Amino acid sequence: MDQVPDLASIVTTVCQDMETHLGRGRVADYIPALARVDPRHFGIAIVTCDGRIAAAGDADLTFSIQSISKVFTLTLALDKLGADLWDRVGREPSGSRFNSIVQLEQEKGIPRNPLINAGALVVTDTLLEGGDASETIAKIADFMQRLADDDSVSIDAEVAQSEAETGFRNASLANFLRGFGNLKGPIDDVLRVYFNQCALSMTCRQLARAGLFLANNGVDPLNHTRVTTAGRTRRINALMMTCGHYDASGDFAFRVGLPGKSGVGGGILAIAPGRAAIAVWSPGLNAAGNSYVGALALERLVSLTGWSVF
Ligand code: GLN
């Protein structure tokens, strides 16, 4: 039996150890509303399967979850479509940047995985089928509120608008997917839902709580609600491990050894299966578009807890 680690002192230690690194990396500036965020923020929150919560730093400040939303829309899409989803999106790491278009041409409009932009657009398209954009956005926001157990979780309209005005690469990806017949809904609606899901604004505490079902075979351990099946949870975690950090997924697995998903807002959600969900946030990004200090903090956390799956 594992010893129960003293999480309060561990998050405090991680937070202190990050002090000298704060401000490293570059804030995402291709979305103007994100470029204004102070890069020196750092927050961490851990929620365990047995209900303990430990948080430090800016754990209660909201940030834009961006691509971390892809994990949650994937959960919804798998529940809606089951294994049919895999006819439209692959399950291999891309080895490319998150918004790359090159593979789509060679691979005939089937994105490598659901955690890169092209794959996430297909996932969003499946959620849109049978409803309109506003209903789909509301469904996603409602899912996040339920998972976070917090009605205050909301979408930052300014961030969504800012991305809509500058999202030319995503518009290209969506048009390209449509050209291959792998996007069915109206392109503007798919993009609108996608930009809104990315603009979900959450704190580390809310995000770790929302991801907790992934650490517990698909059941929220605190309210005993089944969110998805154990099999799908295993697959989602496998995809987070292999694809959650784009072309730096191997490095993240090597350094941290937990399923994780990053976003260009500087957040990372990591899952310690059977134990806990962890959210970190620090806006400065490395060259691959993942939080520089966030990954460093998770590396430190894993060395203190021994929670790597390897
Ligand atoms: N909304 C961002 C985009 O599509 C999400 C990318 C990310 O977080 N890596 O460009």
Side-chain angles (χ1 to χ4, degrees), residues 124 127-143 155 186 188-197:
T124 296
L127 296 182
L128 193 56
E129 239 177 297
D132 66 20
S134 301
E135 281 165 8
T136 311
I137 292 165
K139 205 176 275 180
I140 296 168
D142 186 65
F143 185 54
I155 289 168
D188 286 349
D189 287 354
V190 176
L191 288 170
R192 196 176 138 219
V193 177
Y194 174 77
F195 293 146
N196 273 273
Q197 75 183 54

Side-chain angles (χ1 to χ4, degrees), residues 30 70 96-102 116-118 169-170 173 194 246:
Y30 74 102
K70 292 169 181 164
S96 307
R97 281 189 69 74
F98 63 90
N99 55 8
S100 171
I101 202 166
V102 288
I116 52 173
N117 286 16
R169 292 191 72 107
N170 286 314
L173 288 168
Y194 174 77
Y246 317 111

Side-chain angles (χ1 to χ4, degrees), residues 223-241:
N223 63 19
H224 311 290
T225 309
R226 179 164 291 286
V227 180
T228 188
T229 66
R232 285 178 192 145
T233 306
R234 193 156 43 83
R235 269 68 186 258
I236 295 164
N237 275 300
L239 287 164
M240 289 172 77
M241 180 69 91

Side-chain angles (χ1 to χ4, degrees), residues 30-31 34 65-68 70 98-99 115 117 163 169-170 194-195 198-199 246 261-266 288-290:
Y30 74 102
I31 303 174
L34 296 184
I65 74 165
Q66 292 294 316
S67 284
I68 303 170
K70 292 169 181 164
F98 63 90
N99 55 8
L115 301 181
N117 286 16
E163 192 169 359
R169 292 191 72 107
N170 286 314
Y194 174 77
F195 293 146
C198 288
Y246 317 111
K261 182 74 204 86
S262 65
V264 287
N290 305 312

